[in-house]
Amino acid sequence: MKTKILTLTGLLPLLPTAAGFAQQERPNIIFIMSDDHARQAMSIYGHPVGQVAPTPHIDRIGHEGAVFMNNYCCNSISGPSRAAILTGKHSHKNGFMKNWAKGFDGSQQTLPKVLQQNGYQTAVIGKWHLISRPTGFDHWMILNDQGDYCNPHFITENDTTQHTGYVTDLITSFTKEWLDGRDKAKPFFLMMHHKAVHRNWVPAERHYRLYENTHFPMPDNYFDTYEGRFAASKQEMNIYRDMYEGHDLKMVTGTDSRTLLFDPWPNAFLNTMTPQEQDRFFEAYRERNNAFYSHPRTSGEVAEWKYQRYMQDYMATVKSVDESVGEILNYLQETGLDKNTIVVYTTDQGFYLGEHGWFDKRFMYEESFEMPMVMRWPGHIRPQTCVEGLTQNIDFAPTFLDMCGISAPEDMQGISFKPLVEKGKTPSGWRRSLYYHYYEFPGFHSVRAHCGVKMERYKLIHFYKEDLWELYDLKTDPTEMNNIYAKKGTEKITGTLKKELVRLQQQYDVPKEYCK
Ligand code: SGN
Ligand code: CA
């Protein structure tokens, strides 16, 4: 569901425009990125889910700055999105097309490297997920692969250490520690990358029961039958069919039991907890797990129950991320850094919260294609700015460089959207289409490889291995249930979109072999 941004009227006075700050020092940048945080779950976007479980601190960034209404990724999966952000290039150009194929080529040009060459101090703390070691950072402290929620290991240059605590809280304190100890003579670029809100959605202990009595609004298309959509019918990411009942849904084998139902990596997430922490975990879920067995349920009722359990845990992990953002904003305010620090909050890609019956991402359908984003930069971005133009993760690097007064290397494919955020409107001549390409098939969740083009109203998707096409009219069918490809009356728009797809593939220099 596309929703309107919620505004807080009269929140803040208008701040001076860019010109008024022309002589100011170069800005710092804090790029906060979480993992798999759906737009539906960020209350500033006004979706019913966000209203039930709000994210006030993340929203604050958007209220005091800009909220992006049409920001998208180029390949909806973690490693490839991160690689696109670092390089400003589509996956086929930066070489990181799938999560698990090979490590990121850290010898290439990247945003932190260019900033470093121009006198910036750079750091990345949290999830990295690019297999090879980070390059271009003065300081890095990363999770091992996906990382653990409880008492996770962090890897640094010469060391791997397990730390006590909840992953989101630890990443926040390590970030503040780095900010405290940094070289204050230089501007900085800091990437704080949360593991949350990634599967298997283990909340902080203080939030285990936060939403236990909250009823989340279920999407109308939860029981989608995928008519006319071959790839959608073949995926393996149904909440009620594919979620692991033990690992993901924390369901146990019977009343009072401590044995998880199906868990493909037996107790993996429990194993990093102490025995006392495990006790408290099972205790927190005990009543709810008992209640599940209190009466017989139909398969439809079980599917609805699973949706609620999924959402209760997912939103509880969101809560800690929101608290983390609040802590960072407070830190900036207390230290006076807030005045000249660009703060961004986004996530590596969108996510399904039950739409089409799904969790996970990968498809070019809106929920996983979009990347919700808010950005604050006092004096440059007016409060409550709404960015409507089409923006993409390949634009982040050239935009940040532009904001720091540094020209982007020519091989970056994205374009700076600084004028859109500063002016609060889309300049004429701004791009009118976006290119997308997902490669990881065969792979987790069985989503077929596809590429596609999105224009303001229509979207065309090509599942090229099967040579199957899908066309959606987002105005009349925002939830993409009705594939109108080859339907009478769509010939003209199909022709336009096909031409645009070819034009974009040429512009971005996509090798033909990747589209077969
Ligand atoms: C893990 C998850 C998948 C998820 C991928 C990629 N399974 O493999 O559900 O799609 O990560 O996610 S899990 O049971 O191990 O959690 S990504 O966001 O990192 O790309
Ligand atoms: Ca992700």
Side-chain angles (χ1 to χ4, degrees), residues 35-36 78 82 127 198 348-349 361:
D35 198 326
D36 296 354
S78 167
R82 291 161 203 273
K127 183 168 172 177
H198 195 274
D348 59 346
Q349 23 51 215
K361 50 262 177 178

Side-chain angles (χ1 to χ4, degrees), residues 130-176:
L130 288 168
I131 306 172
S132 57
R133 290 187 155 213
T135 55
F137 293 97
D138 297 309
H139 170 76
W140 54 269
M141 184 174 197
I142 57 172
L143 293 167
N144 181 21
D145 191 44
Q146 297 281 8
D148 292 305
Y149 270 108
C150 199
N151 306 324
H153 286 84
F154 283 85
I155 307 171
T156 53
E157 187 75 45
N158 304 308
D159 183 43
T160 297
T161 309
Q162 186 172 22
H163 292 262
T164 303
Y166 183 64
V167 68
T168 309
D169 303 342
L170 289 170
I171 290 170
T172 314
S173 16
F174 294 144
T175 297
K176 290 203 293 189

Side-chain angles (χ1 to χ4, degrees), residues 34-37 76-79 81-82 99 127 129 146 195 198 347-351 360-361:
S34 60
D35 198 326
D36 296 354
H37 189 172
S76 180
I77 185 164
S78 167
S81 179
R82 291 161 203 273
N99 260 351
K127 183 168 172 177
H129 208 208
Q146 297 281 8
K195 171 212 169 52
H198 195 274
T347 185
D348 59 346
Q349 23 51 215
F351 210 68
D360 216 66
K361 50 262 177 178

